[in-house]
């Protein structure tokens, strides 16, 4: 299938908009000094995002019913949480999470 110029422009435009939406906040925040209370509040944002992502993958949504537990993800979360408490190193946490989910999926 040939790539038309319209599709190419849409892909490049989407990439540019995505890149700008991630870079512009850093550029703007370098020029301003934020109050300490806002900096302290923003320190919790990564924790909140990671918790939301983790909870979203931990449960399976069923329309009109309560969500059910995603057992493989729950089992893989146990060694991942232990490694997070012990190491507090993001690389180790990710590696342990990927390996433990791979082992759980292999066994289940």
């Amino acid at each position: 299938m040939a790539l038309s110029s319209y599709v190419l422009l849409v892909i490049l435009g989407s990439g540019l908009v995505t890149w700008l939406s991630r870079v512009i906040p850093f550029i703007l925040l370098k020029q301003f000094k934020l109050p300490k209370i806002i900096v302290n509040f923003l320190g919790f944002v990564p924790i909140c995002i990671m918790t939301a992502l983790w909870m979203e993958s931990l449960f399976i949504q069923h329309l009109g019913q309560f969500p059910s537990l995603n057992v493989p993800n729950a089992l893989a979360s146990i060694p991942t949480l232990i490694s997070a408490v012990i190491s507090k190193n993001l690389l180790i946490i990710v590696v342990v999470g990927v390996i433990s989910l791979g082992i759980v999926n292999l066994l289940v």
Side-chain angles (χ1 to χ4, degrees), residues 15-49:
L16 179 66
V17 168
T18 302
W19 181 75
L20 286 175
S21 70
R22 293 168 193 224
V23 170
I24 288 176
F26 288 112
I27 293 171
L28 292 176
L29 287 177
K30 278 188 168 185
Q31 298 178 8
F32 299 106
K33 177 124 173 100
L34 295 175
K36 186 172 174 67
I37 190 165
I38 293 177
V39 172
N40 288 340
F41 173 75
L42 290 176
F44 291 105
V45 170
I47 297 169
C48 295
I49 291 171

Side-chain angles (χ1 to χ4, degrees), residues 20-102:
L20 286 175
S21 70
R22 293 168 193 224
V23 170
I24 288 176
F26 288 112
I27 293 171
L28 292 176
L29 287 177
K30 278 188 168 185
Q31 298 178 8
F32 299 106
K33 177 124 173 100
L34 295 175
K36 186 172 174 67
I37 190 165
I38 293 177
V39 172
N40 288 340
F41 173 75
L42 290 176
F44 291 105
V45 170
I47 297 169
C48 295
I49 291 171
M50 289 304 296
T51 303
L53 290 172
W54 179 51
M55 287 296 162
E56 190 258 338
S57 70
L58 202 56
F59 296 102
I60 301 170
Q61 179 182 2
H62 304 287
L63 294 177
Q65 300 175 3
F66 284 116
S68 62
L69 185 65
N70 187 341
V71 176
N73 286 358
L75 291 174
S77 295
I78 296 168
T80 307
L81 286 173
I82 293 170
S83 70
V85 170
I86 292 172
S87 72
K88 294 179 179 57
N89 183 336
L90 185 59
L91 179 63
I92 293 173
I93 296 167
V94 170
V95 168
V96 169
V98 169
I99 291 172
S100 61
L101 186 58

